[in-house]
Amino acid sequence: MDGGSENMATKRDIVGRILAGRGMKPGAAGCAFAPANIALVKYWGKRDEELNLPVTSSLSVSLGRLGSEVEIQPAGPADVVVLNGQELPPDSSFARRVSAYLDLFRPAGAGFRVDARNTIPTAAGFASSASGFAALVRALDQLFGWRLETRELSILARLGSGSACRSVYEGFVEWRAGEAADGMDSYAVPLAETWPDLRMGLVVISGEEKAVGSRAGMKRTVETSPLYRAWPAKVAADLPEVRAAIRERDFHRLGRAAESNALAMHATMIAAWPPVIYWKPESLAVMKRVAELRAQGLAVYFTMDAGPNLKLLFERKDEFALGAKFSGLQVVAPFGP
Ligand code: 2P0
C-alpha cells in the first residue's frame, strides 16, 4: 500500500514483455466486443498506480451483450476517437485517455481511428471504461494479428483500467490480485459456474458525471481513510462467501455478501478526508426500500459502485414483482437470453 514506490516497471515495460517477438505492422482493421461487468466483491485501492495493481482480489459478473464494441483502423497522423457516433475533441478527457493508451502500442508516427459504441446506455451510469478498454485491447490484438492468450489480454486491459481486466471474460470472473511487483500474476480468471436465473436491475438516480472519479476516490481512500485498514480482511472474508454462494446457487448468501461488501467499500470512502460520498438522498431511500422489501419476504439485495446509482440483485421469479416496485427498472440477465 505504498503506492508502488519500489516498483520500477512501467506500462511500456509490460507491453514490451508481452508483445516480444510479435508483429507491429497493423492490418486493415480490428473490431471486437467486450461486456461490462459489475463487481460483487469490489476492487477499491491500488498497490501500484502505474500498473493498476490492486490491493485485493475482486469478483464480478459480466453483463452478456451489454458492453462496448470497438473498431480500430490505422489513420493519421493524429488519432480520431469517435464515441457513439460522435467525434470527440482531441483534448477531451476520454480521447486523451485513449490516445495515451494507444501510445503504448503505436508504431512511430502512426495514428488511429477508434470507433467505440456502447451497447449500454452511457447515461444510465454503468461504467463503460471496463468494457471499453477490454474491447480496445481485443481490437488491437486483431488489428496487429498478435493472437495473444486471454490472460495476456487481461493484463493489457488492466493497464488501461483496472476493472477492464475482468471484462475479457463472460460470466463470473475473479481478478486475482497477485503479488509480483511487475503485476504479471495480476489478471482475471473465469469461474466455471453459470446462474441463468440471476438478474440485475439498474436503478438510475443520476446520469451526471461524478465530482470525484473512482481513480482519485480510491487513491484518497487508501491514503487517508483509517477504515481502509479493515478492507483487505473484509474482502478476504467475502470472496469465499461469494464463491460458495455461486457454487451452491444460494441466492441469499450471494446477495448478503455482495451488499455487505459494497457498503463496507463505501464506509472506507466516507471515512476518507475529504470524504468521498457518492450517495444521494435518493440512493439512501432505495437502500431502505430494499431492506423493507426484504423484511416483507422478497429476495432482493443491492450493490453500488463509485456513483449514486444502485444495482439490484434478484432472481428471475421476482422480476415482475420488482418491476412493480421500482418504476423504470432496467433488468439485465447476465447469463442470457
Ligand atoms: C469495481 N470500481 O470493482 C470497483 C467498485 C468502482 C467501485 O473498478 O483507476 O475504473 O481505471 O483502475 O477500474 C472503478 O475503477 O479504476 C472500479 P482504474 P476503475 O468495479
Side-chain angles (χ1 to χ4, degrees):
M1 274 181 258
D2 60 0
S5 55
E6 289 163 37
N7 183 10
M8 300 311 285
T10 64
K11 288 187 173 79
R12 217 172 268 281
D13 296 334
I14 303 305
V15 169
R17 215 177 301 170
I18 290 177
L19 296 183
R22 316 256 170 180
M24 290 310 289
K25 197 171 155 348
C31 188
F33 168 85
N37 74 74
I38 301 294
L40 301 169
V41 178
K42 307 294 187 186
Y43 150 51
W44 197 253
K46 303 180 195 195
R47 66 173 198 274
D48 184 296
E49 284 169 21
E50 163 75 8
L51 302 177
N52 293 331
L53 297 178
V55 171
T56 71
S57 296
S58 56
L59 197 158
S60 62
V61 60
S62 288
L63 298 186
R65 299 310 303 162
L66 292 185
S68 304
E69 243 167 44
V70 169
E71 186 175 358
I72 184 163
Q73 294 168 290
D79 292 336
V80 175
V81 180
V82 180
L83 179 61
N84 297 326
Q86 279 209 321
E87 188 174 326
L88 301 178
D91 61 346
S92 65
S93 67
F94 186 78
R96 279 178 18 205
R97 200 166 159 195
V98 170
S99 281
Y101 188 71
L102 292 174
D103 286 346
L104 299 170
F105 306 97
R106 84 175 78 242
F112 297 101
R113 179 189 165 92
V114 175
D115 230 299
R117 200 167 285 277
N118 290 327
T119 55
I120 301 188
T122 315
F126 262 128
S128 50
S129 79
S131 54
F133 277 103
L136 179 56
V137 167
R138 284 195 178 280
L140 283 165
D141 184 69
Q142 217 184 70
L143 178 72
F144 287 101
W146 296 323
R147 297 168 177 275
L148 295 174
E149 288 169 22
T150 315
R151 177 174 46 83
E152 295 170 314
L153 296 175
S154 180
I155 291 174
L156 293 181
R158 165 168 55 73
L159 300 179
S161 181
S163 52
C165 80
R166 300 186 307 236
S167 277
V168 300
Y169 291 108
E170 301 279 345
F172 293 115
V173 180
E174 187 168 332
W175 173 9
R176 300 206 176 135
E179 288 174 0
D182 63 7
M184 294 306 284
D185 58 354
S186 183
Y187 49 81
V189 291
L191 272 63
E193 294 89 349
T194 64
W195 196 324
D197 283 353
L198 188 68
R199 294 291 180 271
M200 267 210 192
L202 185 67
V203 182
V204 180
I205 283 159
S206 169
E208 267 173 48
E209 196 147 326
K210 48 207 173 197
V212 183
S214 51
R215 193 160 283 194
M218 58 175 100
K219 182 169 159 62
R220 195 188 296 170
T221 306
V222 172
E223 289 172 356
T224 70
S225 174
L227 300 192
Y228 192 71
R229 204 171 304 166
W231 178 245
K234 174 64 178 154
V235 171
D238 290 340
L239 272 174
E241 269 300 295
V242 168
R243 283 191 212 111
I246 290 170
R247 206 166 47 235
E248 290 160 22
R249 278 203 194 161
D250 181 336
F251 180 72
H252 283 284
R253 195 172 180 184
L254 181 82
R256 203 159 48 226
E259 184 173 311
S260 164
N261 183 268
L263 285 169
M265 174 184 73
H266 282 274
T268 68
M269 304 178 196
I270 290 169
W273 196 263
V276 182
I277 305 178
Y278 289 112
W279 300 0
K280 290 191 183 274
E282 301 91 319
S283 316
L284 194 56
V286 172
M287 291 181 208
K288 290 192 161 175
R289 188 85 183 105
V290 167
E292 280 164 20
L293 291 172
R294 212 152 59 216
Q296 291 165 19
L298 205 51
V300 56
Y301 294 82
F302 68 82
T303 185
M304 224 183 148
D305 294 296
N309 302 320
L310 283 88
K311 288 101 188 178
L312 305 186
L313 289 166
F314 52 94
E315 289 180 292
R316 182 165 71 165
K317 66 180 172 52
D318 294 321
E319 194 169 320
F320 185 75
L322 282 155
K325 303 287 182 192
F326 296 91
S327 65
L329 190 71
Q330 297 182 41
V331 179
V332 180
F335 296 92

